Amino acid sequence: ILVAIVWIHARVAPYRILHQTQDSQVYWAVACGSSRKEITKHWEWLENNLLQTLSIFDNEEDITTFVKGKIHGIIAEENKNQQPQSEEDPGKFKEAELKMRKQFGMPEVEKLVNYYSCSYWKGRVPRQGWLYLTVNHLCFYSFLLGKEVTLVIQWVDVTQLEKNATLLFPECIKVSTRDSELYFSMFLNINETFKLMEQLANIAMRQLLDNESFLQDKSLPKPRKPLKNISALKRDLDARAKNECYRATFRLPKDECLDGHTDCTLWTPFNKMHIPGQMFVSNNYICFASKAEEACHLIIPLREVTIVEKADSSSVLPSPLSISTKSKMTFFFANLRDRDFLVQRISDFLQRTPSKKPCGSDREWNSPLAVSPPSALNNRPVNFCAGEVPTASQGLLKLFRRNSEELLGPKGAKEKMKEESWNIHFFEYGRGMCMYRTAKTRELVQKGIPENLRGELWLLFSGAWNEMVTHPGYYGDLVEKSMGKYNLATEEIERDLHRSMPEHPAFQNELGIAALRRVLTAYAFRNPTIGYCQAMNIVTSVLLLYCNEEEAFWLLVALCERMLPDYYNTRVVGALVDQGIFEELTREYLPQLSEKMQELGVISTISLSWFLTLFLSVMPFESAVVIVDCFFYEGIKFILQVSLAILDANMEKLLQCCDEGEAMTILGRYLDNVVNRQSVSPPIPHLHALLTSGDDPPLEIDIFDLIKTSYEKFSNLKADDIEQMRFKQRLKVIQSLEDTAKKSVVRAVSSDIGFSIEELEELYVVFKAKYLMSCYWGNNRAAAARRDQSLPYLEQYRIDMEQFKELFISLTPWSCGAHTPVLAGRLFRLLDENRDSLINFKEFVTGMSGMYHGDLTDKLKILYKLHLPPALNPEETESALEATSYFTEDVTTEGNATLCACTPQFR
């Protein structure tokens, strides 16, 4: 092979890279440049991305064809990316979409998100072609040297996505399914492609997890009018990802959508500096995040804004913007681009913001003299129903404090000092939602929030306050609607009410029990998908100690729906996902211990009990509540780093363990002796099942020392990294649950079916795929609405008659001729024993088994039943009855008693 850099006397391209085989007089232009520096840059790219690949080809013709295809693909992709937005040609994307549908047999309802030039590795040979990413599929097509490669993979079948390096390429994307591993490389922008693949796979996992992704348009917003942008759906996906990141960063309600963001600086009066960062604007909030991670976060609800005005520019403060709130706080932003447009957008949002002051406004919270916020219900106790136990209008801890003398001793003095530190903080940084949140705020949280402020700050840091003040009366309405109604969730709640915190006096009387019952029942009616899950009662009982009922309800909403997503459901998917993250972090930070923990199988046991209850079930209450303080400020990141610190502290003992029981005893004993010497509440007896006796008195561990250690050793965990790891683990967890479901269903039907286990598993895959296809492409996606995940696995996937007919035609030995649809319809009605117009997998394989494995008599019986009700449709049944009547009369006349009733088809 001869590849050379040639200098040419030409004004356009004095330098070129040519490709020419040894015995050929023809050469191909690979690259050109106006300077030696530019052409050298092209050469380096070829060395890193192309030259190593050429060594695997056996002949020069293959090399030439591959290089030509690759260079042409790069040129096409480059031209597409460099095309000015105003000149974008929507026809090119439309052409690619039509080609995708033709090549892969996709219907019109399947939308193309984007397509990329890349290479697919088939063995050791790369196939240059095009990767098509659609809403529901990953497709690849290549035609090289007369050889065609076509791949179609459903996103729901993807078990793993990785971006990693191989021996031949610095970067490639590995796509794993249950049956294969596929490698794609030589992308122009591998990061963009991988991110899009992650988003689409994540949507598919959400579809397997719940029905909302099928039933709501929020998963992929549809543009109201055709967009010139060739990747309109990709732009929607990017917007969705930004919205999710925005809401997670500032703990905003799940329906808040980012309108835009811009670079700026914020004047921070507490240190008299201009901090660089970004301003984010949405329908209901103005937020700021500094570039330095912990320098400053700010959340300004538009409901609190009174004035937005442009200030005079200066060389020191260019393009400043002033925002004033009802709490008499003023925020100065500067270095704003398009300030006029930004002010107009904020003004538009302010006009749409309700002027009515919501219940429990932030106004009172910003007084530096206040100790705790006025409860939204303090001054207006609500009696939801005559004769019921009164509503807990304040935290139960205030009503059931048993040891008031502690407040007068050294612990009480320490508590007062904490309160004073927070009051000073409120004076300098503000109070309420508009408070400047800095590293100083986190330091105060780590030292433990004073009991009088705990409820207020939990509401603020979790974002629950935003939802509560914008939904006045919502909780009361829910309680009223759910009063006296019973279902499976209320039965489970009733069973667990007296198990929540039986040692605490607040739950040894009807007031606390009734409050807990109302909050849990109201949430079960708000979110029937979750309903009630064990561990919710433990967490909610602690929330009620520091908050009134309404506040505890909204904290539970924040916990279940935003901060610990998918934790509290029948399959605890979220907890399993974070368990996988914990295992991965253990391998990274504690490699010596990781292998031992895997061998013992301990992590899966401890993580569920620790994460689901935020350590409340495994640690003394007065210590665990400090963990909850930090959790509401930091999120799951803090729970992970504390868990790592606990393993690290017990490493030597754990390495000596012989079995899971011994390891759990060590960890249980350690956690049971984590103490909070600063607590002014009396200690609550902690009944830990794993506590064992020993010769030596147990060593007490101060909770604040444990928290300090966790930050010193593991604080480099990043929230963004954890979210990325959550995606990776969610793929693994949900696919594992689907495999479990398949095995469970197959076991449920294998005893009385003629198919083997392997055949049943293959049939289940086909059956499930048909169901999912109807969710993708069915009319109004009605199939998704039919799935009830509270049902046993066998009943979750059910198909209707149209889907059954398609399977009947493609799978059964009786499909032939024009009568096939009629036969399929009759068999469907015969199998549908409960007459709900749906059949589950067991009913499906029962019919299939009769056709494939039944003897001649069994098959004749099936055929006979297909000509009798209930297999007949109403018209056929009526016709059969008429025929029966006719033949009965005929038989009576001729005295022939042997003729039996039959349908016209048997005549």
Side-chain angles (χ1 to χ4, degrees):
I1 305 165
L2 175 62
V3 182
I5 299 179
V6 183
W7 184 82
I8 301 175
H9 293 282
R11 295 180 180 178
V12 179
Y15 294 92
R16 289 192 297 170
I17 299 176
L18 307 177
H19 177 276
Q20 185 179 22
T21 57
Q22 205 165 23
D23 300 326
S24 174
Q25 299 299 317
V26 179
Y27 63 82
W28 300 95
V30 173
C32 60
S34 58
S35 66
R36 190 171 188 87
K37 181 179 179 181
E38 183 180 356
I39 204 69
T40 303
K41 184 178 179 182
H42 290 320
W43 179 259
E44 289 174 351
W45 187 94
L46 289 170
E47 283 184 325
N48 294 329
N49 294 276
L50 195 63
L51 292 186
Q52 293 178 5
T53 309
L54 302 183
S55 62
I56 69 172
F57 288 98
D58 297 329
N59 60 72
E60 295 175 352
E61 184 181 353
D62 288 354
I63 293 174
T64 303
T65 307
F66 174 75
V67 172
K68 284 172 59 180
K70 184 62 187 174
I71 299 304
H72 288 162
I74 291 174
I75 292 171
E77 188 79 12
E78 191 70 17
N79 290 339
K80 180 185 73 171
N81 292 335
Q82 291 182 352
Q83 200 171 22
Q85 186 173 359
S86 59
E87 298 179 5
E88 282 176 351
D89 182 8
K92 291 222 182 239
F93 187 79
K94 191 69 178 176
E95 180 183 344
E97 192 167 34
L98 292 173
K99 187 182 295 184
M100 176 271 297
R101 293 204 184 101
K102 181 179 179 182
Q103 287 172 340
F104 305 106
M106 299 290 178
E108 288 191 8
V109 291
E110 181 69 358
K111 301 297 182 183
L112 178 64
V113 180
N114 212 353
Y115 61 102
Y116 301 93
S117 171
C118 69
S119 291
Y120 159 64
W121 287 81
K122 191 171 183 180
R124 296 183 66 241
V125 180
R127 297 287 178 177
Q128 181 66 30
W130 290 92
L131 182 71
Y132 298 87
L133 304 182
T134 74
V135 174
N136 301 300
H137 297 84
L138 177 152
C139 308
F140 177 82
Y141 180 79
S142 172
F143 186 81
L144 186 66
L145 301 176
K147 295 180 180 179
E148 189 177 46
V149 177
T150 303
L151 299 174
V152 179
I153 300 170
Q154 291 188 72
W155 290 116
V156 292
D157 291 332
V158 174
T159 58
Q160 191 174 14
L161 276 177
E162 288 184 296
K163 185 178 67 174
N164 52 21
T166 66
L167 294 175
L168 296 176
F169 288 102
E171 287 184 317
C172 72
I173 295 176
K174 175 185 173 184
V175 181
S176 301
T177 66
R178 290 175 178 81
D179 304 319
S180 60
E181 294 181 349
L182 311 175
Y183 293 88
F184 301 91
S185 64
M186 300 184 74
F187 293 93
L188 283 180
N189 191 336
I190 192 169
N191 292 327
E192 175 192 320
T193 309
F194 185 70
K195 182 179 178 182
L196 182 57
M197 293 168 75
E198 279 189 327
Q199 287 177 289
L200 292 168
N202 203 26
I203 290 173
M205 293 305 104
R206 296 298 314 178
Q207 291 169 349
L208 290 176
L209 187 59
D210 57 51
N211 297 336
E212 291 185 2
S213 298
F214 283 126
L215 300 177
Q216 297 181 9
D217 288 338
K218 68 178 183 179
S219 61
L220 277 178
K222 305 299 186 295
R224 296 179 181 178
K225 59 182 180 180
L227 299 172
K228 289 184 178 180
N229 195 318
I230 62 170
S231 39
L233 285 176
K234 180 181 180 303
R235 187 164 69 179
D236 290 329
L237 279 169
D238 290 342
R240 181 187 179 194
K242 289 179 181 178
N243 286 333
E244 290 175 350
C245 181
Y246 171 61
R247 290 191 292 263
T249 301
F250 299 104
R251 307 278 171 79
L252 300 178
K254 60 182 180 180
D255 56 351
E256 193 67 19
C257 293
L258 179 64
D259 186 69
H261 60 90
T262 183
D263 291 335
C264 67
T265 58
L266 171 66
W267 170 253
T268 50
F270 51 86
N271 59 3
K272 296 180 173 54
M273 291 178 60
H274 290 281
I275 297 181
Q278 284 191 318
M279 174 193 283
F280 301 82
V281 178
S282 59
N283 293 9
N284 301 294
Y285 299 90
I286 300 170
C287 301
F288 174 85
S290 59
K291 290 185 178 179
E293 185 177 1
E294 296 179 4
C296 184
H297 270 210
L298 180 65
I299 303 169
I300 308 174
L302 290 182
R303 63 179 181 269
E304 292 297 311
V305 173
T306 55
I307 301 174
V308 178
E309 58 184 354
K310 293 179 284 187
D312 295 333
S313 293
S314 67
S315 58
V316 179
L317 209 62
S319 302
L321 177 65
S322 170
I323 298 176
S324 301
T325 66
K326 297 174 184 177
S327 56
K328 310 301 181 186
M329 294 183 72
T330 302
F331 304 94
F332 288 100
F333 298 89
N335 294 287
L336 288 160
R337 292 180 297 176
D338 301 324
R339 181 179 60 165
D340 294 340
F341 174 77
L342 180 62
V343 171
Q344 184 60 48
R345 291 298 291 166
I346 295 175
S347 300
D348 292 342
F349 290 140
L350 280 171
Q351 289 177 2
R352 296 198 289 266
T353 303
S355 57
K356 181 181 177 182
K357 180 181 174 181
C359 151
S361 168
D362 292 349
R363 179 189 296 268
E364 301 91 342
W365 284 32
N366 287 280
S367 168
L369 303 177
V371 175
S372 61
S375 168
L377 297 178
N378 273 349
N379 300 321
R380 51 180 188 86
V382 181
N383 292 315
F384 294 110
C385 184
E388 286 291 318
V389 178
T391 302
S393 58
Q394 57 182 324
L396 295 176
L397 202 62
K398 295 180 181 178
L399 301 176
F400 297 94
R401 191 183 297 277
R402 296 183 301 176
N403 198 5
S404 57
E405 63 269 13
E406 287 284 359
L407 298 176
L408 304 176
K411 291 184 178 180
K414 182 73 172 178
E415 187 79 356
K416 289 294 182 184
M417 290 175 61
K418 286 185 181 180
E419 290 181 8
E420 186 58 29
S421 297
W422 276 99
N423 287 332
I424 294 171
H425 186 79
F426 292 148
F427 185 84
E428 294 181 355
Y429 295 85
R431 188 169 189 174
M433 286 306 305
C434 299
M435 173 173 53
Y436 295 96
R437 305 174 193 211
T438 67
K440 178 66 174 177
T441 313
R442 193 184 75 173
E443 289 175 10
L444 286 176
V445 172
Q446 290 174 32
K447 295 176 181 177
I449 298 175
E451 288 190 349
N452 287 336
L453 297 176
R454 190 160 267 148
E456 167 188 342
L457 294 176
W458 284 1
L459 287 164
L460 286 181
F461 297 147
S462 67
W465 182 256
N466 284 322
E467 294 186 277
M468 186 175 74
V469 298
T470 53
H471 294 83
Y474 178 86
Y475 172 69
D477 292 342
L478 266 182
V479 173
E480 188 173 353
K481 290 176 183 176
S482 62
M483 190 69 66
K485 296 182 180 178
Y486 300 95
N487 53 30
L488 180 61
T490 57
E491 291 177 8
E492 292 176 347
I493 289 169
E494 205 64 36
R495 194 164 53 242
D496 287 348
L497 284 176
H498 295 276
R499 306 175 186 172
S500 302
M501 289 188 70
E503 313 89 8
H504 200 285
F507 298 98
Q508 294 171 357
N509 65 86
E510 190 55 31
L511 176 62
I513 294 295
L516 181 59
R517 177 189 293 114
R518 281 192 291 266
V519 173
L520 292 174
T521 304
Y523 186 78
F525 275 80
R526 166 189 165 86
N527 193 341
T529 303
I530 293 178
Y532 171 76
C533 175
Q534 284 187 341
M536 287 173 66
N537 60 318
I538 296 173
V539 175
T540 306
S541 61
V542 174
L543 300 180
L544 281 167
L545 291 177
Y546 298 97
C547 307
N548 65 44
E549 284 186 33
E550 185 177 20
E551 294 165 347
F553 170 80
W554 286 111
L555 275 170
L556 185 61
V557 170
L559 199 69
C560 295
E561 298 175 14
R562 290 189 286 105
M563 299 191 72
L564 295 176
D566 306 320
Y567 263 60
Y568 301 100
N569 55 39
T570 54
R571 298 192 287 180
V572 291
V573 172
L576 293 174
V577 168
D578 286 346
Q579 173 190 310
I581 295 175
F582 187 38
E583 291 178 358
E584 193 172 335
L585 293 175
T586 304
R587 284 193 295 272
E588 180 180 350
Y589 289 98
L590 306 172
Q592 289 179 292
L593 187 59
S594 174
E595 187 176 345
K596 183 70 174 181
M597 297 296 281
Q598 292 293 333
E599 177 187 332
L600 298 175
V602 173
I603 287 183
S604 60
T605 305
I606 62 177
S607 56
L608 283 179
S609 58
W610 295 2
F611 297 170
L612 273 173
T613 64
L614 303 176
F615 288 92
L616 289 165
S617 65
V618 295
M619 193 180 285
F621 165 75
E622 58 273 10
S623 301
V625 77
V626 183
I627 299 284
V628 179
D629 291 342
C630 297
F631 166 75
F632 277 126
Y633 188 78
E634 296 272 24
I636 191 62
K637 166 183 176 292
F638 176 76
I639 300 297
L640 290 168
Q641 71 183 41
V642 166
S643 300
L644 289 171
I646 293 170
L647 293 187
D648 184 53
N650 292 277
M651 182 181 295
E652 291 184 8
K653 294 180 179 178
L654 290 172
L655 289 173
Q656 304 301 319
C657 290
C658 300
D659 54 40
E660 179 185 5
E662 186 180 353
M664 292 302 297
T665 300
I666 290 170
L667 291 172
R669 187 175 177 80
Y670 177 88
L671 291 170
D672 202 66
N673 289 285
V674 176
V675 298
N676 180 0
R677 299 186 181 93
Q678 300 177 14
S679 175
V680 294
S681 296
I684 299 172
H686 181 58
L687 306 176
H688 199 286
L690 297 174
L691 189 62
T692 59
S693 59
D695 297 332
D696 300 325
L699 178 66
E700 291 187 341
I701 302 94
D702 189 276
I703 181 62
F704 300 103
D705 291 340
L706 176 61
I707 291 173
K708 181 180 178 182
T709 302
S710 75
Y711 276 102
E712 288 175 349
K713 292 189 174 183
F714 308 107
S715 62
N716 57 344
L717 293 178
K718 304 297 181 186
D720 292 342
D721 295 338
I722 291 174
E723 286 305 313
Q724 183 72 19
M725 294 167 73
R726 271 180 165 174
F727 159 75
K728 178 182 176 181
Q729 293 297 330
R730 191 178 292 117
L731 277 178
K732 187 184 299 183
V733 167
I734 294 180
Q735 295 293 16
S736 175
L737 290 173
E738 289 296 307
D739 289 342
T740 301
K742 178 173 69 175
K743 292 176 182 177
S744 175
V745 170
V746 168
R747 279 198 304 268
V749 301
S750 60
S751 60
D752 49 6
I753 298 296
F755 294 108
S756 66
I757 297 294
E758 293 75 16
E759 290 171 333
L760 284 173
E761 289 183 349
E762 292 178 4
L763 283 171
Y764 179 83
V765 170
V766 173
F767 184 86
K768 174 184 167 184
K770 180 58 63 178
Y771 165 83
L772 292 175
M773 286 300 174
S774 69
C775 294
Y776 301 154
W777 302 330
N779 295 329
N780 299 320
R781 297 189 172 183
R786 298 197 298 261
R787 188 181 179 199
D788 183 358
Q789 293 198 344
S790 64
L791 295 173
Y793 286 133
L794 184 61
E795 296 291 331
Q796 287 190 15
Y797 292 121
R798 295 179 294 169
I799 60 175
D800 58 23
M801 182 179 290
E802 292 305 315
Q803 296 166 274
F804 177 78
K805 284 181 179 179
E806 295 175 13
L807 290 176
F808 184 91
I809 292 170
S810 60
L811 294 177
T812 65
W814 292 0
S815 59
C816 60
H819 295 291
T820 299
V822 176
L823 198 63
R826 292 187 180 186
L827 182 59
F828 178 86
R829 285 187 288 271
L830 183 64
L831 296 174
D832 181 20
E833 295 180 358
N834 59 0
R835 303 291 175 264
D836 63 352
S837 299
L838 297 169
I839 63 171
N840 60 31
F841 179 69
K842 184 174 183 178
E843 293 166 335
F844 170 71
V845 294
T846 298
M848 294 284 292
S849 179
M851 287 181 283
Y852 273 102
H853 298 288
D855 58 23
L856 182 59
T857 303
D858 294 332
K859 293 178 181 177
L860 286 173
K861 285 181 180 179
I862 295 174
L863 284 171
Y864 180 71
K865 290 179 181 179
L866 293 180
H867 292 80
L868 294 173
L872 305 181
N873 62 32
E875 293 79 10
E876 291 170 337
T877 302
E878 184 177 353
S879 175
L881 290 173
E882 290 177 358
T884 301
S885 175
Y886 170 78
F887 283 118
T888 301
E889 293 175 2
D890 188 47
V891 168
T892 303
T893 303
E894 299 186 9
N896 183 0
T898 62
L899 184 61
C900 63
C902 63
T903 65
Q905 283 81 355
F906 268 45
R907 292 177 64 186

